[in-house]
Amino acid sequence: MDRPYHVYGGLQDNSSWVGESEYPGGITSSRWENMYGGDGFWMFVDPTDPDYIYAEYQGGEIARVNRKTHETRNIKPLPHYQEGKLRFNWNTPIHVSPTKSGTIYLGAQVLFRSRDYGQTWERVSPDLTTNDPEKQKQEQSGA
């Protein structure tokens, strides 16, 4: 664990950031690192390699980011051929397993699981929604 520990989080309209929990003389804006764009939401440290984080912004956009180099690899699951758009929530649920190396869960209308750091995804649930078209007007409502 880092000492001082790091704080990870997102800011609406202002990306995802990481900063130290303390710094001599106080924490100024220059002590924060911008890690990923969009409306910042969830960020998780990879429990097997603290040099990597998983960061997410609206609509299921998720990436594995190297904290040192800022190299970003987008890892969002893709729909099946001719399936149409996956239905991710504005602030998509994400979970990184603390015990299974490389395992990530991501929610759309189905629950996705990756066991290889987001390289590939499998569906581990059926459609968990009512699949009601009247409730699927995210683009028309501005999310």
Side-chain angles (χ1 to χ4, degrees):
M1 179 179 214
D2 293 338
R3 299 250 188 255
Y5 65 86
H6 287 90
V7 176
Y8 298 83
L11 296 168
Q12 185 174 354
D13 299 328
N14 288 299
S15 306
S16 296
W17 298 80
V18 61
E20 298 162 321
S21 61
E22 61 181 61
Y23 191 76
I27 302 168
T28 62
S29 59
S30 66
R31 301 301 307 165
W32 288 88
E33 291 179 79
N34 185 335
M35 302 306 314
Y36 196 51
D39 281 336
F41 286 114
W42 306 108
M43 288 182 26
F44 293 90
V45 177
D46 185 325
T48 61
D49 187 347
D51 287 341
Y52 285 91
I53 60 168
Y54 296 95
E56 180 255 341
Y57 70 82
Q58 71 269 20
E61 298 299 333
I62 181 174
R64 190 164 192 256
V65 182
N66 183 301
R67 282 243 6 248
K68 292 182 177 179
T69 65
H70 289 235
E71 178 185 1
T72 299
R73 182 171 49 87
N74 294 327
I75 59 173
K76 181 179 181 177
L78 299 174
H80 291 313
Y81 178 68
Q82 293 188 338
E83 177 180 30
K85 190 174 179 183
L86 292 170
R87 298 189 315 270
F88 289 98
N89 195 1
W90 186 253
N91 52 335
T92 301
I94 177 177
H95 178 72
V96 176
S97 174
T99 59
K100 294 185 179 177
S101 180
T103 300
I104 312 157
Y105 296 90
L106 190 69
Q109 74 267 30
V110 299
L111 181 63
F112 288 96
R113 176 178 58 199
S114 174
R115 294 181 181 173
D116 56 7
Y117 305 95
Q119 290 282 89
T120 61
W121 294 91
E122 62 182 318
R123 294 169 186 228
V124 295
S125 79
D127 189 332
L128 299 170
T129 71
T130 60
N131 199 11
D132 180 353
E134 286 303 310
K135 297 177 181 174
Q136 297 173 19
K137 298 181 179 183
Q138 191 171 10
E139 282 81 14
Q140 291 95 324
S141 69

Short mmCIF file of all heavy atoms in Angstrom, two decimals, residues 33-86:
data_model
loop_
_atom_site.label_atom_id
_atom_site.label_comp_id
_atom_site.label_asym_id
_atom_site.label_seq_id
_atom_site.Cartn_x
_atom_site.Cartn_y
_atom_site.Cartn_z
N GLU A 33 -2.96 14.10 -10.79
CA GLU A 33 -2.69 13.62 -12.14
C GLU A 33 -3.99 13.28 -12.85
O GLU A 33 -4.81 12.54 -12.31
CB GLU A 33 -1.87 12.32 -12.11
CG GLU A 33 -0.46 12.45 -11.65
CD GLU A 33 0.18 11.07 -11.65
OE1 GLU A 33 0.57 10.60 -12.75
OE2 GLU A 33 0.27 10.47 -10.57
N ASN A 34 -4.15 13.79 -14.05
CA ASN A 34 -5.30 13.45 -14.89
C ASN A 34 -5.00 12.11 -15.55
O ASN A 34 -4.02 11.97 -16.27
CB ASN A 34 -5.52 14.53 -15.94
CG ASN A 34 -6.76 14.32 -16.75
OD1 ASN A 34 -7.24 13.21 -16.91
ND2 ASN A 34 -7.27 15.39 -17.30
N MET A 35 -5.87 11.11 -15.28
CA MET A 35 -5.60 9.76 -15.77
C MET A 35 -6.45 9.34 -16.97
O MET A 35 -6.02 8.52 -17.77
CB MET A 35 -5.82 8.73 -14.65
CG MET A 35 -4.98 8.93 -13.42
SD MET A 35 -3.19 9.04 -13.61
CE MET A 35 -2.73 7.76 -14.68
N TYR A 36 -7.69 9.89 -17.08
CA TYR A 36 -8.59 9.42 -18.14
C TYR A 36 -9.65 10.48 -18.34
O TYR A 36 -10.02 11.18 -17.40
CB TYR A 36 -9.20 8.08 -17.73
CG TYR A 36 -9.85 7.29 -18.83
CD1 TYR A 36 -9.19 7.02 -20.02
CD2 TYR A 36 -11.12 6.77 -18.67
CE1 TYR A 36 -9.78 6.27 -21.02
CE2 TYR A 36 -11.72 6.00 -19.67
CZ TYR A 36 -11.04 5.77 -20.84
OH TYR A 36 -11.64 5.03 -21.83
N GLY A 37 -10.18 10.60 -19.55
CA GLY A 37 -11.07 11.69 -19.92
C GLY A 37 -12.54 11.47 -19.64
O GLY A 37 -12.93 10.60 -18.89
N GLY A 38 -13.35 12.29 -20.30
CA GLY A 38 -14.80 12.20 -20.18
C GLY A 38 -15.32 12.69 -18.84
O GLY A 38 -14.64 13.41 -18.11
N ASP A 39 -16.56 12.30 -18.54
CA ASP A 39 -17.10 12.53 -17.21
C ASP A 39 -16.51 11.45 -16.32
O ASP A 39 -16.94 10.30 -16.36
CB ASP A 39 -18.63 12.39 -17.21
CG ASP A 39 -19.33 13.62 -17.74
OD1 ASP A 39 -18.73 14.71 -17.70
OD2 ASP A 39 -20.47 13.50 -18.19
N GLY A 40 -15.53 11.80 -15.54
CA GLY A 40 -14.87 10.80 -14.72
C GLY A 40 -15.81 10.15 -13.73
O GLY A 40 -16.62 10.82 -13.10
N PHE A 41 -15.73 8.84 -13.60
CA PHE A 41 -16.53 8.11 -12.63
C PHE A 41 -15.63 7.22 -11.80
O PHE A 41 -14.84 7.70 -11.02
CB PHE A 41 -17.64 7.29 -13.33
CG PHE A 41 -18.77 8.13 -13.85
CD1 PHE A 41 -19.01 8.23 -15.20
CD2 PHE A 41 -19.62 8.81 -12.99
CE1 PHE A 41 -20.07 8.98 -15.70
CE2 PHE A 41 -20.68 9.57 -13.47
CZ PHE A 41 -20.90 9.65 -14.82
N TRP A 42 -15.72 5.91 -12.03
CA TRP A 42 -15.00 4.96 -11.19
C TRP A 42 -13.55 4.79 -11.63
O TRP A 42 -13.24 4.82 -12.81
CB TRP A 42 -15.69 3.59 -11.25
CG TRP A 42 -17.13 3.64 -10.92
CD1 TRP A 42 -18.18 3.50 -11.79
CD2 TRP A 42 -17.73 3.88 -9.65
NE1 TRP A 42 -19.37 3.61 -11.13
CE2 TRP A 42 -19.13 3.84 -9.81
CE3 TRP A 42 -17.22 4.11 -8.38
CZ2 TRP A 42 -20.01 4.02 -8.76
CZ3 TRP A 42 -18.09 4.30 -7.33
CH2 TRP A 42 -19.47 4.25 -7.52
N MET A 43 -12.70 4.58 -10.63
CA MET A 43 -11.30 4.20 -10.88
C MET A 43 -10.90 3.17 -9.85
O MET A 43 -11.22 3.31 -8.66
CB MET A 43 -10.37 5.41 -10.78
CG MET A 43 -10.53 6.36 -11.92
SD MET A 43 -9.43 7.79 -11.95
CE MET A 43 -8.01 7.38 -11.09
N PHE A 44 -10.23 2.11 -10.31
CA PHE A 44 -9.76 1.05 -9.42
C PHE A 44 -8.31 0.75 -9.72
O PHE A 44 -7.93 0.66 -10.89
CB PHE A 44 -10.57 -0.24 -9.62
CG PHE A 44 -12.00 -0.14 -9.20
CD1 PHE A 44 -12.97 0.28 -10.10
CD2 PHE A 44 -12.38 -0.44 -7.91
CE1 PHE A 44 -14.30 0.37 -9.72
CE2 PHE A 44 -13.70 -0.35 -7.52
CZ PHE A 44 -14.66 0.06 -8.42
N VAL A 45 -7.53 0.54 -8.69
CA VAL A 45 -6.15 0.09 -8.85
C VAL A 45 -6.18 -1.40 -9.13
O VAL A 45 -6.94 -2.15 -8.51
CB VAL A 45 -5.33 0.38 -7.58
CG1 VAL A 45 -3.92 -0.14 -7.72
CG2 VAL A 45 -5.33 1.86 -7.27
N ASP A 46 -5.35 -1.84 -10.06
CA ASP A 46 -5.22 -3.27 -10.31
C ASP A 46 -4.56 -3.88 -9.07
O ASP A 46 -3.44 -3.51 -8.72
CB ASP A 46 -4.35 -3.51 -11.55
CG ASP A 46 -4.25 -4.96 -11.95
OD1 ASP A 46 -4.22 -5.83 -11.05
OD2 ASP A 46 -4.19 -5.24 -13.15
N PRO A 47 -5.23 -4.81 -8.37
CA PRO A 47 -4.67 -5.34 -7.13
C PRO A 47 -3.39 -6.16 -7.33
O PRO A 47 -2.65 -6.38 -6.38
CB PRO A 47 -5.79 -6.22 -6.57
CG PRO A 47 -6.75 -6.43 -7.65
CD PRO A 47 -6.55 -5.36 -8.67
N THR A 48 -3.11 -6.59 -8.58
CA THR A 48 -1.90 -7.36 -8.83
C THR A 48 -0.74 -6.50 -9.32
O THR A 48 0.39 -6.95 -9.35
CB THR A 48 -2.17 -8.48 -9.85
OG1 THR A 48 -2.60 -7.89 -11.09
CG2 THR A 48 -3.24 -9.44 -9.34
N ASP A 49 -1.04 -5.27 -9.73
CA ASP A 49 0.01 -4.37 -10.24
C ASP A 49 -0.43 -2.93 -10.03
O ASP A 49 -1.18 -2.38 -10.84
CB ASP A 49 0.27 -4.64 -11.72
CG ASP A 49 1.46 -3.85 -12.25
OD1 ASP A 49 1.95 -2.91 -11.57
OD2 ASP A 49 1.92 -4.18 -13.37
N PRO A 50 0.03 -2.29 -8.95
CA PRO A 50 -0.41 -0.92 -8.64
C PRO A 50 0.00 0.13 -9.66
O PRO A 50 -0.43 1.27 -9.56
CB PRO A 50 0.21 -0.65 -7.28
CG PRO A 50 1.35 -1.59 -7.16
CD PRO A 50 0.99 -2.80 -7.98
N ASP A 51 0.80 -0.24 -10.66
CA ASP A 51 1.13 0.70 -11.73
C ASP A 51 -0.01 0.84 -12.72
O ASP A 51 0.03 1.71 -13.59
CB ASP A 51 2.40 0.27 -12.47
CG ASP A 51 3.65 0.48 -11.65
OD1 ASP A 51 3.62 1.26 -10.68
OD2 ASP A 51 4.67 -0.15 -11.98
N TYR A 52 -1.04 0.00 -12.62
CA TYR A 52 -2.17 0.05 -13.53
C TYR A 52 -3.46 0.36 -12.78
O TYR A 52 -3.66 -0.10 -11.66
CB TYR A 52 -2.34 -1.28 -14.28
CG TYR A 52 -1.32 -1.45 -15.36
CD1 TYR A 52 -0.11 -2.08 -15.10
CD2 TYR A 52 -1.54 -0.97 -16.64
CE1 TYR A 52 0.85 -2.23 -16.08
CE2 TYR A 52 -0.59 -1.10 -17.64
CZ TYR A 52 0.61 -1.73 -17.35
OH TYR A 52 1.55 -1.87 -18.34
N ILE A 53 -4.31 1.14 -13.45
CA ILE A 53 -5.64 1.42 -12.92
C ILE A 53 -6.66 1.14 -14.01
O ILE A 53 -6.32 1.12 -15.21
CB ILE A 53 -5.79 2.88 -12.43
CG1 ILE A 53 -5.55 3.86 -13.58
CG2 ILE A 53 -4.92 3.17 -11.24
CD1 ILE A 53 -5.95 5.27 -13.25
N TYR A 54 -7.88 0.91 -13.58
CA TYR A 54 -9.02 0.81 -14.48
C TYR A 54 -9.84 2.07 -14.26
O TYR A 54 -10.19 2.39 -13.12
CB TYR A 54 -9.85 -0.44 -14.19
CG TYR A 54 -9.07 -1.71 -14.43
CD1 TYR A 54 -8.41 -2.35 -13.39
CD2 TYR A 54 -8.96 -2.23 -15.71
CE1 TYR A 54 -7.68 -3.50 -13.62
CE2 TYR A 54 -8.23 -3.38 -15.95
CZ TYR A 54 -7.58 -4.01 -14.90
OH TYR A 54 -6.85 -5.14 -15.13
N ALA A 55 -10.11 2.80 -15.32
CA ALA A 55 -10.87 4.05 -15.22
C ALA A 55 -12.02 4.00 -16.20
O ALA A 55 -11.92 3.41 -17.29
CB ALA A 55 -9.96 5.24 -15.54
N GLU A 56 -13.12 4.64 -15.80
CA GLU A 56 -14.34 4.55 -16.59
C GLU A 56 -14.98 5.93 -16.72
O GLU A 56 -14.87 6.75 -15.82
CB GLU A 56 -15.30 3.58 -15.87
CG GLU A 56 -16.61 3.36 -16.54
CD GLU A 56 -17.75 4.08 -15.84
OE1 GLU A 56 -17.64 4.45 -14.68
OE2 GLU A 56 -18.79 4.26 -16.52
N TYR A 57 -15.57 6.19 -17.87
CA TYR A 57 -16.42 7.37 -18.00
C TYR A 57 -17.71 6.96 -18.69
O TYR A 57 -17.92 5.79 -19.00
CB TYR A 57 -15.71 8.55 -18.68
CG TYR A 57 -15.40 8.45 -20.16
CD1 TYR A 57 -16.36 8.74 -21.12
CD2 TYR A 57 -14.13 8.14 -20.58
CE1 TYR A 57 -16.06 8.69 -22.47
CE2 TYR A 57 -13.82 8.08 -21.94
CZ TYR A 57 -14.80 8.37 -22.86
OH TYR A 57 -14.49 8.32 -24.20
N GLN A 58 -18.61 7.92 -18.87
CA GLN A 58 -19.99 7.63 -19.25
C GLN A 58 -20.13 6.64 -20.40
O GLN A 58 -19.31 6.60 -21.30
CB GLN A 58 -20.76 8.92 -19.56
CG GLN A 58 -20.35 9.63 -20.83
CD GLN A 58 -19.28 10.67 -20.63
OE1 GLN A 58 -18.53 10.67 -19.66
NE2 GLN A 58 -19.16 11.57 -21.58
N GLY A 59 -21.19 5.86 -20.31
CA GLY A 59 -21.54 4.95 -21.39
C GLY A 59 -20.69 3.71 -21.50
O GLY A 59 -20.58 3.12 -22.57
N GLY A 60 -20.06 3.29 -20.41
CA GLY A 60 -19.27 2.06 -20.43
C GLY A 60 -17.89 2.20 -21.03
O GLY A 60 -17.21 1.20 -21.27
N GLU A 61 -17.45 3.41 -21.28
CA GLU A 61 -16.09 3.60 -21.79
C GLU A 61 -15.12 3.32 -20.64
O GLU A 61 -15.14 3.99 -19.62
CB GLU A 61 -15.90 5.01 -22.31
CG GLU A 61 -16.80 5.38 -23.46
CD GLU A 61 -16.61 4.51 -24.70
OE1 GLU A 61 -15.50 3.98 -24.92
OE2 GLU A 61 -17.58 4.37 -25.46
N ILE A 62 -14.31 2.30 -20.82
CA ILE A 62 -13.40 1.85 -19.77
C ILE A 62 -12.03 1.59 -20.37
O ILE A 62 -11.91 1.18 -21.53
CB ILE A 62 -13.95 0.60 -19.05
CG1 ILE A 62 -13.01 0.14 -17.94
CG2 ILE A 62 -14.26 -0.50 -20.02
CD1 ILE A 62 -13.55 -0.99 -17.10
N ALA A 63 -11.00 1.85 -19.58
CA ALA A 63 -9.64 1.64 -20.05
C ALA A 63 -8.76 1.13 -18.93
O ALA A 63 -9.03 1.35 -17.75
CB ALA A 63 -9.04 2.94 -20.60
N ARG A 64 -7.71 0.45 -19.32
CA ARG A 64 -6.63 0.08 -18.41
C ARG A 64 -5.52 1.09 -18.67
O ARG A 64 -5.07 1.24 -19.81
CB ARG A 64 -6.17 -1.35 -18.68
CG ARG A 64 -5.22 -1.88 -17.63
CD ARG A 64 -5.11 -3.40 -17.75
NE ARG A 64 -4.45 -3.96 -16.60
CZ ARG A 64 -3.18 -4.37 -16.59
NH1 ARG A 64 -2.45 -4.32 -17.69
NH2 ARG A 64 -2.66 -4.87 -15.49
N VAL A 65 -5.11 1.80 -17.63
CA VAL A 65 -4.19 2.92 -17.77
C VAL A 65 -2.92 2.65 -16.96
O VAL A 65 -3.00 2.29 -15.78
CB VAL A 65 -4.83 4.24 -17.28
CG1 VAL A 65 -3.89 5.41 -17.47
CG2 VAL A 65 -6.16 4.48 -17.98
N ASN A 66 -1.77 2.85 -17.59
CA ASN A 66 -0.50 2.75 -16.88
C ASN A 66 -0.26 4.07 -16.15
O ASN A 66 -0.19 5.12 -16.80
CB ASN A 66 0.63 2.45 -17.86
CG ASN A 66 1.96 2.26 -17.17
OD1 ASN A 66 2.46 3.13 -16.46
ND2 ASN A 66 2.55 1.09 -17.39
N ARG A 67 -0.16 4.02 -14.83
CA ARG A 67 0.00 5.24 -14.04
C ARG A 67 1.30 5.96 -14.34
O ARG A 67 1.38 7.18 -14.23
CB ARG A 67 -0.02 4.92 -12.53
CG ARG A 67 -1.38 4.67 -11.99
CD ARG A 67 -1.87 5.63 -10.94
NE ARG A 67 -1.12 6.78 -10.60
CZ ARG A 67 -0.51 6.97 -9.42
NH1 ARG A 67 -0.55 6.05 -8.50
NH2 ARG A 67 0.12 8.08 -9.18
N LYS A 68 2.35 5.23 -14.69
CA LYS A 68 3.67 5.86 -14.90
C LYS A 68 3.80 6.47 -16.29
O LYS A 68 4.32 7.56 -16.45
CB LYS A 68 4.78 4.85 -14.66
CG LYS A 68 4.88 4.45 -13.20
CD LYS A 68 6.01 3.48 -12.97
CE LYS A 68 6.09 3.18 -11.48
NZ LYS A 68 7.15 2.24 -11.15
N THR A 69 3.31 5.76 -17.32
CA THR A 69 3.49 6.23 -18.69
C THR A 69 2.25 6.92 -19.25
O THR A 69 2.32 7.53 -20.29
CB THR A 69 3.83 5.05 -19.62
OG1 THR A 69 2.70 4.16 -19.67
CG2 THR A 69 5.07 4.30 -19.13
N HIS A 70 1.10 6.75 -18.56
CA HIS A 70 -0.20 7.26 -19.01
C HIS A 70 -0.68 6.58 -20.31
O HIS A 70 -1.60 7.05 -20.94
CB HIS A 70 -0.20 8.77 -19.16
CG HIS A 70 -0.15 9.48 -17.85
ND1 HIS A 70 -1.07 10.40 -17.47
CD2 HIS A 70 0.69 9.38 -16.81
CE1 HIS A 70 -0.79 10.86 -16.27
NE2 HIS A 70 0.28 10.24 -15.85
N GLU A 71 -0.03 5.46 -20.67
CA GLU A 71 -0.51 4.68 -21.80
C GLU A 71 -1.89 4.13 -21.46
O GLU A 71 -2.11 3.58 -20.38
CB GLU A 71 0.44 3.53 -22.10
CG GLU A 71 -0.01 2.65 -23.24
CD GLU A 71 0.91 1.45 -23.44
OE1 GLU A 71 1.87 1.28 -22.70
OE2 GLU A 71 0.61 0.68 -24.37
N THR A 72 -2.82 4.29 -22.39
CA THR A 72 -4.21 3.89 -22.17
C THR A 72 -4.62 2.85 -23.20
O THR A 72 -4.35 3.00 -24.39
CB THR A 72 -5.14 5.12 -22.32
OG1 THR A 72 -4.77 6.08 -21.33
CG2 THR A 72 -6.59 4.75 -22.14
N ARG A 73 -5.25 1.78 -22.73
CA ARG A 73 -5.78 0.75 -23.62
C ARG A 73 -7.27 0.63 -23.35
O ARG A 73 -7.69 0.24 -22.28
CB ARG A 73 -5.11 -0.59 -23.38
CG ARG A 73 -5.61 -1.68 -24.32
CD ARG A 73 -4.79 -2.96 -24.24
NE ARG A 73 -4.56 -3.46 -22.92
CZ ARG A 73 -5.38 -4.27 -22.25
NH1 ARG A 73 -6.52 -4.64 -22.79
NH2 ARG A 73 -5.07 -4.69 -21.05
N ASN A 74 -8.09 1.03 -24.33
CA ASN A 74 -9.54 0.92 -24.18
C ASN A 74 -9.92 -0.55 -24.17
O ASN A 74 -9.45 -1.32 -25.00
CB ASN A 74 -10.26 1.67 -25.29
CG ASN A 74 -10.02 3.16 -25.19
OD1 ASN A 74 -9.88 3.70 -24.10
ND2 ASN A 74 -9.95 3.82 -26.32
N ILE A 75 -10.81 -0.92 -23.22
CA ILE A 75 -11.16 -2.33 -23.06
C ILE A 75 -12.68 -2.55 -23.02
O ILE A 75 -13.15 -3.56 -22.52
CB ILE A 75 -10.49 -2.93 -21.81
CG1 ILE A 75 -10.90 -2.17 -20.54
CG2 ILE A 75 -8.98 -2.97 -21.97
CD1 ILE A 75 -10.41 -2.81 -19.26
N LYS A 76 -13.45 -1.63 -23.55
CA LYS A 76 -14.91 -1.74 -23.53
C LYS A 76 -15.37 -2.97 -24.33
O LYS A 76 -14.93 -3.17 -25.45
CB LYS A 76 -15.53 -0.48 -24.13
CG LYS A 76 -17.04 -0.47 -24.15
CD LYS A 76 -17.55 0.83 -24.75
CE LYS A 76 -19.06 0.90 -24.78
NZ LYS A 76 -19.52 2.20 -25.31
N PRO A 77 -16.28 -3.79 -23.76
CA PRO A 77 -16.83 -4.91 -24.52
C PRO A 77 -17.60 -4.42 -25.74
O PRO A 77 -18.18 -3.34 -25.72
CB PRO A 77 -17.79 -5.59 -23.54
CG PRO A 77 -17.50 -5.03 -22.22
CD PRO A 77 -16.84 -3.72 -22.41
N LEU A 78 -17.62 -5.23 -26.77
CA LEU A 78 -18.33 -4.89 -28.00
C LEU A 78 -19.57 -5.76 -28.15
O LEU A 78 -19.61 -6.89 -27.65
CB LEU A 78 -17.41 -5.09 -29.21
CG LEU A 78 -16.15 -4.22 -29.22
CD1 LEU A 78 -15.25 -4.61 -30.37
CD2 LEU A 78 -16.51 -2.75 -29.27
N PRO A 79 -20.58 -5.27 -28.86
CA PRO A 79 -21.78 -6.09 -29.10
C PRO A 79 -21.48 -7.23 -30.06
O PRO A 79 -20.50 -7.20 -30.81
CB PRO A 79 -22.77 -5.10 -29.71
CG PRO A 79 -21.93 -4.02 -30.28
CD PRO A 79 -20.67 -3.94 -29.46
N HIS A 80 -22.34 -8.24 -30.03
CA HIS A 80 -22.27 -9.31 -31.02
C HIS A 80 -22.60 -8.73 -32.40
O HIS A 80 -23.23 -7.68 -32.52
CB HIS A 80 -23.28 -10.41 -30.71
CG HIS A 80 -22.96 -11.21 -29.49
ND1 HIS A 80 -21.72 -11.73 -29.22
CD2 HIS A 80 -23.75 -11.59 -28.46
CE1 HIS A 80 -21.75 -12.40 -28.09
NE2 HIS A 80 -22.97 -12.32 -27.59
N TYR A 81 -22.20 -9.45 -33.43
CA TYR A 81 -22.48 -9.05 -34.80
C TYR A 81 -23.98 -8.83 -34.98
O TYR A 81 -24.80 -9.67 -34.62
CB TYR A 81 -21.97 -10.14 -35.76
CG TYR A 81 -22.25 -9.86 -37.21
CD1 TYR A 81 -21.62 -8.82 -37.87
CD2 TYR A 81 -23.16 -10.64 -37.91
CE1 TYR A 81 -21.87 -8.57 -39.21
CE2 TYR A 81 -23.42 -10.41 -39.25
CZ TYR A 81 -22.78 -9.36 -39.89
OH TYR A 81 -23.03 -9.12 -41.22
N GLN A 82 -24.38 -7.71 -35.52
CA GLN A 82 -25.76 -7.30 -35.80
C GLN A 82 -26.64 -7.21 -34.55
O GLN A 82 -27.86 -7.20 -34.64
CB GLN A 82 -26.41 -8.21 -36.84
CG GLN A 82 -25.77 -8.09 -38.19
CD GLN A 82 -26.52 -8.85 -39.28
OE1 GLN A 82 -27.26 -9.79 -39.02
NE2 GLN A 82 -26.30 -8.43 -40.51
N GLU A 83 -26.02 -7.11 -33.39
CA GLU A 83 -26.80 -7.00 -32.14
C GLU A 83 -27.32 -5.59 -31.92
O GLU A 83 -28.32 -5.40 -31.25
CB GLU A 83 -25.94 -7.43 -30.95
CG GLU A 83 -26.63 -7.29 -29.62
CD GLU A 83 -25.75 -7.72 -28.46
OE1 GLU A 83 -24.52 -7.58 -28.54
OE2 GLU A 83 -26.31 -8.18 -27.46
N GLY A 84 -26.64 -4.61 -32.42
CA GLY A 84 -26.98 -3.23 -32.09
C GLY A 84 -26.14 -2.78 -30.91
O GLY A 84 -25.23 -3.47 -30.47
N LYS A 85 -26.47 -1.63 -30.41
CA LYS A 85 -25.68 -1.01 -29.34
C LYS A 85 -25.93 -1.69 -27.99
O LYS A 85 -27.07 -2.01 -27.65
CB LYS A 85 -26.09 0.46 -29.27
CG LYS A 85 -25.22 1.31 -28.40
CD LYS A 85 -25.63 2.76 -28.54
CE LYS A 85 -24.78 3.62 -27.64
NZ LYS A 85 -25.19 5.01 -27.69
N LEU A 86 -24.84 -1.90 -27.24
CA LEU A 86 -25.00 -2.38 -25.87
C LEU A 86 -25.58 -1.24 -25.03
O LEU A 86 -25.30 -0.07 -25.29
CB LEU A 86 -23.66 -2.83 -25.29
CG LEU A 86 -23.08 -4.09 -25.91
CD1 LEU A 86 -21.65 -4.30 -25.45
CD2 LEU A 86 -23.94 -5.29 -25.57
#
